[in-house]
Amino acid sequence: MIASILDGIVFGLQLGLLATGLSLMYGLGGILNLAYGQMAVVSAVVTVFAIDAGLPVPVAAVVGLATGALVGLVLDLTVLRPVYAQRGEARVLLSLLVSLGVALMIDGFLNWRYPLKGLSIRIAGGPVEILGEPMLRGSLVASGITIVAMGALLAFFRFTTLGRAVRSVIEDEQGARLVGIDPRKMLRLILVLSGAIAGLVAITRSMVTPVDVTAGFGITVFALIVTVVGGLGSVAGALAAGIVLGVVNAIAATKIGTFMSLVILLVVAAGTILVRPAGLLGVEE
Amino acid sequence: MIERFGDASGTSAVGGVEGHAPRSLARLVVPVLGVGVVLSLVPLWLGDSRVMMGIAVVGLTFAAYAIGFNLIFGSTGQLFLCVGALAGIGGYGGAILADVVGLPIVVSVAAATAAASLVGGILSWVAVHRSLGVIFTGIVTLVFALTFENLLLGLGGLTGGESGFFLEAGRDTFLRRQIPPYYLMLGLVLAALVVHGQLRRSRVGWAFRALRDDEVAAELAGVDVARHRILAAVVGSAILGLAGALYAFTEGRISPTTFGFAEVDVVVLVMLAFGGIGSLLGPILGAATFTVIDELLVEVGQLRVFLYGALVIALFLGIPRGVIPTVTDHLRRRRGR
């Protein structure tokens, strides 16, 4: 039981960070990015190539991370441009459909060209004992990196001018415009940032379990569930929901199987939308 | 008045316009009859090949899915991302009722269709009464679809899990022969077209167009938006459930991927986007085109998925209303000048 809770926390931290990216894109730009999981997978695949090319793992990870950010930038500069021309619900709908197309393109290409590629980073050293349970060293390193990234993200939004500018756009786009903040630039920043977040999650996840080229859709689904429960557009909500759902998932998975544990998460997500559409910690529109 | 609705172009970014409203019976009968005649000739051409007939049956099944989805999304703007799941309720429901419970096939199919219709109606009722809007309706139905998929996998004892469900019922009947399933499915597709066409011709169709163009204005004009949305979902889901059930009995084996989100919903969305969301014959054009394309591209394997993705983007950014409305509008404008 303690082992599954610990595993759940490790997974939950990653889920929380993952959902942050999706949540920011939606909250700031009305972009529902269904290619989010594929951004993560692209980062993972590029990291594999960098490792195969002989780069040290940390450097390869940075390359992978940069690739994720680059994918975000490319999306922002290409297919999302016509999407930004739309307003409100039409924009969300178009972004959903277009990003679904992007997801298919990336999935199709990777499965065609590199069907067997998968990223699995091994952290040297034996298991570490935590609360009497042996934990993989990889899980601990992954969690450490995730927590640092979360802290950096929260600090960025709370203490830097740029971060505050981003938040101001989420809260009041018209007001932000009046004080000279360009929402388009903030949106580009968010796409780059969420690409990097997706990449970081893929890389840290691969320290616990392999991330292969077919993982994209599953990652998007997990991110979507956590985002919905945590509240679209809420960073703190995404982080909290991630940890709670990660623990629920881990316990359910060991007690009643992986498929049924996913069913539980999905039902929680559906229930949240119906009871409180803004999410448990979301901002009411 | 009707003419004006037909010409109002693209208020929404995607699909949006319920095409021209054919009031006269001839404008419904002629296209449906035309489709019926052309498609009924296919077995003369491909009837010798079991493989080709199998593909043709899948094509017709997807045409039926696309009509059902068109009725729900195209006519009333409810983004149901659970086409595969609703068809799966029909398929698995029918299979379990016939094989496990032991009901006659006709009863099983009817009950499973009713179940799919009911579930679709409930989803729509919830969406309408919680005022979920397009996006949240999409998310809730997607969540439902994924739940259904995982339930199929999780309840392996009943559903056969990943390896699928092999149907005993109907094994030695015409349902598993080479040609009859094709005509059975064709009958369903034509019936679905007639149902959709009749709805469009009636007052209901007028209400559909009104609520698609402007929900608030429709409500003010006395259209019961909630009732019409639920009606579209109930009828559309019945078509989906029936198509899924008939497919299960003619194919003899179903698995979670038979009704999976990636395998059904994405494809139906592409077909409809191509043919024209909201147009009567869009689903037929889309399903026919993509069944052929799919066959042509079978050798490139996974690259096919890549091409689909590129096409989705090109379609939604290029001709978001689909081929049929774009072409007919163009023709009408030329004729008008």
Side-chain angles (χ1 to χ4, degrees), chain A residues 75 77-86 90-91 93-99 101-102 105, chain B residues 13-15 273 309-322:
Chain A
L75 288 185
L77 292 175
T78 56
V79 290
L80 289 180
R81 288 191 83 113
V83 175
Y84 295 144
Q86 301 288 334
R91 182 196 279 190
L93 183 57
L94 194 59
S95 71
L96 181 154
L97 295 167
V98 167
S99 63
V102 174
M105 285 181 76
Chain B
V14 178
L311 201 64
V312 168
I313 298 171
L315 279 175
F316 282 115
L317 296 184
I319 42 168
R321 301 171 54 215

Side-chain angles (χ1 to χ4, degrees), chain A residues 86 89 97 101 105 262 266 274, chain B residues 13 126 130 134 143 147 306 309-310:
Chain A
Q86 301 288 334
E89 208 163 50
L97 295 167
M105 285 181 76
L262 190 50
L266 289 163
L274 298 180
Chain B
V126 169
R130 296 295 305 171
V134 183
V143 164
T147 308
F306 173 85

Side-chain angles (χ1 to χ4, degrees), chain B residues 20-273:
Chain B
H20 203 58
R23 269 280 182 181
S24 74
L25 194 60
R27 298 200 53 175
L28 168 64
V29 173
V30 172
V32 173
L33 218 58
V35 167
V37 169
V38 171
L39 289 181
S40 66
L41 296 176
V42 167
L44 292 181
W45 174 40
L46 299 171
D48 291 339
S49 160
R50 185 156 196 110
V51 176
M52 291 313 259
M53 285 316 291
I55 293 165
V57 169
V58 173
L60 284 175
T61 310
F62 272 88
Y65 291 164
I67 296 170
F69 180 61
N70 194 19
L71 188 52
I72 302 171
F73 180 54
S75 295
T76 61
Q78 302 178 88
L79 184 56
F80 266 39
L81 294 178
C82 57
V83 172
L86 290 170
I89 291 176
Y92 272 94
I96 289 169
L97 286 177
D99 270 16
V100 181
V101 183
L103 295 177
I105 293 178
V106 176
V107 179
S108 307
V109 169
T113 304
S117 179
L118 182 69
V119 171
I122 291 172
L123 285 171
S124 173
W125 184 84
V126 169
V128 167
H129 284 268
R130 296 295 305 171
S131 333
L132 289 184
V134 183
I135 301 311
F136 276 97
T137 306
I139 296 179
V140 168
T141 51
L142 173 63
V143 164
F144 168 70
L146 297 171
T147 308
F148 181 75
E149 226 171 305
N150 282 289
L151 273 177
L152 289 182
L153 291 165
L155 301 174
L158 185 62
T159 63
E162 212 155 340
S163 51
F165 191 110
F166 292 84
L167 284 88
E168 277 300 318
R171 209 168 57 168
D172 299 316
T173 64
F174 73 96
L175 289 168
R176 305 285 166 80
R177 299 231 308 274
Q178 198 160 320
I179 307 287
Y182 181 85
Y183 286 106
L184 185 66
M185 277 299 176
L186 181 58
L188 170 63
V189 167
L190 295 178
L193 274 183
V194 169
V195 168
H196 190 195
Q198 284 290 3
L199 281 178
R200 286 156 61 95
R201 277 169 14 94
S202 68
R203 244 192 87 77
V204 174
W206 175 82
F208 281 173
R209 283 185 290 282
L211 76 87
R212 269 242 49 160
D213 285 348
D214 188 338
E215 193 180 324
V216 179
E219 192 83 64
L220 289 175
V223 173
D224 188 341
V225 172
R227 220 192 59 173
H228 283 96
R229 286 228 158 109
I230 297 170
L231 174 74
V234 165
V235 176
S237 304
I239 295 173
L240 296 175
L242 184 55
L246 292 183
Y247 180 77
F249 281 103
T250 57
E251 179 60 27
R253 174 183 177 259
I254 46 176
S255 74
T257 52
T258 311
F259 304 111
F261 176 78
E263 290 80 5
V264 175
D265 288 82
V266 172
V267 178
V268 168
L269 201 60
V270 176
M271 286 175 171
L272 196 59

Side-chain angles (χ1 to χ4, degrees), chain A residues 5-66:
Chain A
I5 292 176
L6 289 176
D7 281 342
I9 293 173
V10 172
F11 185 40
L13 286 167
Q14 293 172 331
L15 280 182
L17 185 59
L18 184 69
T20 311
L22 199 67
S23 186
L24 281 171
M25 282 185 280
Y26 184 87
L28 183 64
I31 301 293
L32 194 51
N33 184 2
L34 291 189
Y36 190 52
Q38 276 75 11
M39 290 165 109
V41 170
V42 169
S43 295
V45 170
V46 170
T47 309
V48 174
F49 278 118
I51 292 173
D52 288 351
L55 290 180
V57 172
V59 179
V62 172
V63 171
L65 213 70

